[in-house]
Amino acid sequence: TIDTQRTSQTYDCKDSPLCRILRFFWTASPPDTILQPNVFPGNCWAFKGRQGQVVIRLPARVYLTAITVQHITKEASPSGTIISAPKDIAVFGVDTDREEETLLGMFTYNVEKDPVQTFSLKNMLLPRAFSHVKLLVKSNWGNPWYTCIYRVKVHGKME
């Protein structure tokens, strides 16, 4: 599930004139959209700006091994661009009992490659299990208003 207290706010496009017109056809999807298998164009979670984060509460403490991020292809995009895709991403294991975050990896989601990209996480020299994982998006591919995440999968072994 999503830890909404530690997750960026969902983008609300009400300030955009175009959005006011399209609002009848578009509704903001909540952050838990990224945990669902439906990746049709527009069915993503958008947060405001180029930087934001989502914190996923895991079903148990997990030794994290990899993370998968998914976006749509340029060909599938109604606008013909995917500049709202995340670019530079940092992944943290979060221990909420101690309020500690451990950096497990930094990577770039490449829009020129497969839309489903899996990145190995380095669970440091002393492997630890975590109750939460934080995906920190540090930049996107150029959209100044929002960043869209379509799907995230967390890989690992339960403690």
Side-chain angles (χ1 to χ4, degrees):
T1 59
I2 301 297
D3 183 338
T4 55
Q5 300 298 314
R6 295 182 170 138
T7 294
S8 298
Q9 282 190 317
T10 299
Y11 173 69
D12 187 352
C13 69
K14 67 183 175 194
D15 298 329
S16 162
L18 177 62
C19 185
R20 281 189 226 128
I21 295 165
L22 296 176
R23 196 164 187 100
F24 295 108
F25 306 104
W26 181 81
T27 57
S29 298
D32 64 352
T33 301
I34 69 171
L35 302 177
Q36 307 304 317
N38 178 349
V39 289
F40 292 111
N43 192 34
C44 67
W45 171 61
F47 60 83
K48 185 176 182 178
R50 296 177 183 195
Q51 297 181 352
Q53 68 182 34
V54 61
V55 177
I56 301 169
R57 185 180 305 116
L58 303 170
R61 292 181 64 81
V62 174
Y63 293 97
L64 302 168
T65 58
I67 192 155
T68 299
V69 177
Q70 185 173 357
H71 199 274
I72 59 171
T73 63
K74 197 181 300 185
E75 294 75 28
S77 172
S79 69
T81 69
I82 50 175
I83 61 173
S84 67
K87 183 178 181 184
D88 295 310
I89 301 170
V91 178
F92 297 84
V94 181
D95 187 339
T96 56
D97 295 337
R98 295 188 239 173
E99 292 298 321
E100 290 179 0
E101 294 182 356
T102 302
L103 178 64
L104 300 176
M106 294 175 53
F107 55 88
T108 298
Y109 179 88
N110 188 338
V111 294
E112 300 299 324
K113 292 186 176 179
D114 189 335
V116 180
Q117 296 175 31
T118 300
F119 303 94
S120 293
L121 300 175
K122 292 163 185 56
N123 205 340
M124 301 308 195
L125 297 173
L126 299 171
R128 290 180 50 197
F130 296 97
S131 59
H132 294 66
V133 63
K134 177 169 99 173
L135 187 80
L136 174 65
V137 177
K138 301 171 98 179
S139 65
N140 68 22
W141 285 93
N143 189 315
W145 301 287
Y146 62 88
T147 301
C148 268
I149 301 175
Y150 274 81
R151 189 162 190 208
V152 173
K153 293 181 197 176
V154 178
H155 308 274
K157 297 184 189 228
M158 291 208 290
E159 188 175 48

